[in-house]
Amino acid sequence: MSKKKTDAPATPAASGAPAASNGIASGAAAAMLRAPAELMFAHELEALIQNDKYDKPPGWKMSPRAVLTYICGGKAGSLDISPKYIGYQRLVEIAISTLVTDRALLLIGEPGTAKSWLSEHLAAAINGDSTKVVQGTAGTTEEQIRYTWNYAMLIAHGPSHDALIKSPIFRSMESGSLARFEEITRTASEVQDALISIMSEKRISVPELATEVPAAKGFSIIATANTRDRGVNDMSAALKRRFNIVVLPTPNTLETEIDIVRKRVKELAANLELKAQLPAEDAIEKVVTIFRELRTGQTLDGKNKLKTPSGVLSTAEAISVLANSMALAGNFGTGEVTAHDIAAGLQGSIVKDEEKDKTVWHEYLSNVLKKRGAEWRPLFTACAEHNE
Ligand SMILES: Nc1ncnc2c1ncn2[C@@H]1O[C@H](COP(=O)(O)OP(=O)(O)OP(=O)(O)O)[C@@H](O)[C@H]1O
Ligand SMILES: [Mg+2]
């Protein structure tokens, strides 16, 4: 039987209870261009917490099994939990169990394989707060990983607790929750290494205040890194050893990728209030087919070798092509997505480098799409017109 939970819910209930643990009121979610996962799926998180029969690790809002249900889909009482990550459940299990240990989690993979998406949903389920994020860039400094100062206060009164500006990682250590580090390998290696002491000693020292802050139980880091950027600032072996690495693959079958794209386009369209009908099933299939063929450099039947364009043809790009085509259809068309709406999006996402990609796309159109017969004819004609 389910234990009655007495803790405060992680997130506001769908009924509109105020203030999630990240401080954003639930009513505000509708006004946001993109609400954090804990607000978008507040009702699911709430139901999972209420129906959780298993033990929660320290600092967690729900048990690892409930987190798995939240990510991969299932039931919480009578409520259907929608799958967030579509793919190998085992990978998600490994990711969740890593966070129960004292090792941090590094999600790597090609662009658009849902690394950030999974990281956000894991933090939302485990803590009800996915917003403690450090965004890795070439300009990320050690202060953004550790702490910095309010300089006006520092100059006026010297170092004090009040003048300390804590990084999201520092705040996660204090509260015993998850911090996210996006695109960690874009940050210079010396800066990344500021994490080594945090992750091995589980404390952060503030020498100016002659103090050390220990991490509370529940603290961990979920980092993401793109395999395409990896060479730029590869992680030091010392840092890599402190992470469990989970590689997120590109969807292995056409059907899986179509499922992901269909589901996300529907969610995006609802969120952005795009005034158009969802693209027809065969339009989704065609876009995903084109993406898969150009990505792998061969037709799905393996008979023709193809040149690949310079840009990344990820699942995420396919989602945005279809969302863009809906925006075109909704605003400048009849509301029904046409081959021309899709062709405009395809051209933009495939032809990134004007010279080279235009030729690759042209060759694909005339050597592959043109020969596919009547069913592909409208899309072929629209694409050929756009590529002139
Ligand atoms: N397997 C999948 N299951 C569910 N959604 C997916 C999957 N693969 C891709 N997506 C969708 O693709 C979109 C992009 O994902 P996300 O931004 O997390 O990619 P990423 O791996 O972080 O890419 P990048 O390396 O460019 O940062 C999201 O909307 C996500 O829902
Ligand atoms: Mg990302």
Side-chain angles (χ1 to χ4, degrees):
M1 281 319 295
S2 73
K3 269 193 286 181
K4 185 90 188 98
K5 298 285 170 196
T6 49
D7 341 12
T11 52
S15 60
S21 52
N22 62 12
I24 304 169
S26 69
M32 288 179 201
L33 185 55
R34 185 185 177 287
E38 58 273 21
L39 289 191
M40 263 191 304
F41 296 96
H43 57 296
E44 292 192 6
L45 293 168
E46 174 68 9
L48 283 161
I49 292 170
Q50 295 302 331
N51 290 285
D52 201 353
K53 300 187 197 97
Y54 300 94
D55 288 338
K56 292 179 290 180
W60 289 36
K61 302 267 186 198
M62 60 175 83
S63 68
R65 275 176 201 272
V67 176
L68 183 69
T69 308
Y70 172 73
I71 304 278
C72 295
K75 282 256 177 204
S78 58
L79 184 72
D80 281 328
I81 304 295
S82 62
K84 315 298 176 304
Y85 179 74
I86 299 173
Y88 297 109
Q89 179 169 322
R90 192 67 186 154
L91 287 181
V92 181
E93 289 172 6
I94 296 169
I96 297 171
S97 21
T98 297
L99 296 170
V100 181
T101 70
D102 64 347
R103 284 166 72 84
L105 173 65
L106 175 60
L107 300 172
I108 64 171
E110 287 278 306
T113 44
K115 301 178 293 296
S116 307
W117 178 251
L118 181 57
S119 144
E120 177 181 351
H121 283 287
L122 283 171
I126 294 171
N127 298 140
D129 178 9
S130 62
T131 60
K132 294 203 187 72
V133 186
V134 174
Q135 180 66 51
T137 67
T140 305
T141 60
E142 218 176 293
E143 284 80 46
Q144 286 164 309
I145 294 178
R146 295 163 63 82
Y147 58 87
T148 182
W149 298 97
N150 174 329
Y151 286 102
M153 287 174 79
L154 186 69
I155 291 165
H157 309 292
S160 66
H161 282 279
D162 287 343
L164 195 64
I165 300 175
K166 299 165 186 172
S167 73
I169 295 178
F170 195 135
R171 287 186 281 125
S172 295
M173 292 177 83
E174 276 186 327
S175 60
S177 58
L178 294 174
R180 298 169 51 209
F181 200 137
E182 281 289 298
E183 305 286 0
I184 190 168
T185 48
R186 287 207 184 144
T187 305
S189 304
E190 310 84 82
V191 176
Q192 292 174 23
D193 282 351
L195 284 176
I196 294 181
S197 65
I198 291 178
M199 285 163 60
S200 33
E201 279 128 53
K202 311 283 186 215
R203 48 184 60 237
I204 190 164
S205 68
V206 188
E208 296 90 335
L209 298 176
T211 180
E212 268 195 342
V213 179
K217 279 192 175 163
F219 166 69
S220 192
I221 294 177
I222 309 177
T224 64
N226 200 305
T227 37
R228 296 240 179 170
D229 295 341
R230 236 171 125 205
V232 184
N233 289 304
D234 218 343
M235 292 170 80
S236 68
L239 183 56
K240 225 184 282 175
R241 274 202 304 278
R242 287 163 174 85
F243 280 102
N244 265 3
I245 297 177
V246 172
V247 183
L248 297 186
T250 42
N252 61 346
T253 64
L254 178 71
E255 289 68 34
T256 315
E257 193 159 359
I258 292 175
D259 279 350
I260 296 169
V261 172
R262 185 195 306 111
K263 179 169 177 300
R264 291 293 297 137
V265 169
K266 192 173 171 201
E267 286 168 1
L268 260 180
N271 194 35
L272 297 174
E273 297 175 36
L274 298 177
K275 308 267 179 291
Q277 289 160 32
L278 289 170
E281 191 64 15
D282 77 304
I284 299 178
E285 185 177 337
K286 286 193 172 67
V287 169
V288 175
T289 303
I290 294 172
F291 268 61
R292 288 183 77 83
E293 293 188 326
L294 287 173
R295 186 191 299 148
T296 52
Q298 60 175 8
T299 49
L300 289 189
D301 56 13
K303 287 190 184 146
N304 292 325
K305 292 275 172 270
L306 306 166
K307 287 189 192 140
T308 50
S310 59
V312 177
L313 293 175
S314 64
T315 312
E317 283 275 337
I319 295 168
S320 91
V321 165
L322 288 162
N324 287 347
S325 68
M326 283 181 71
L328 274 174
N331 291 297
F332 304 107
T334 58
E336 192 177 330
V337 175
T338 64
H340 277 279
D341 298 325
I342 293 178
L346 280 174
Q347 174 84 14
S349 70
I350 293 168
V351 182
K352 292 270 159 61
D353 170 334
E354 190 59 22
E355 288 290 297
K356 183 176 162 279
D357 295 342
K358 217 170 168 179
T359 320
V360 171
W361 183 218
H362 180 79
E363 283 181 16
Y364 177 75
L365 288 173
S366 44
N367 298 341
V368 182
L369 288 203
K370 192 175 181 181
K371 300 183 180 154
R372 284 215 164 126
E375 211 196 312
W376 283 75
R377 184 62 45 175
L379 187 58
F380 162 74
T381 315
C383 289
E385 272 174 31
H386 273 274
N387 199 37
E388 268 164 13

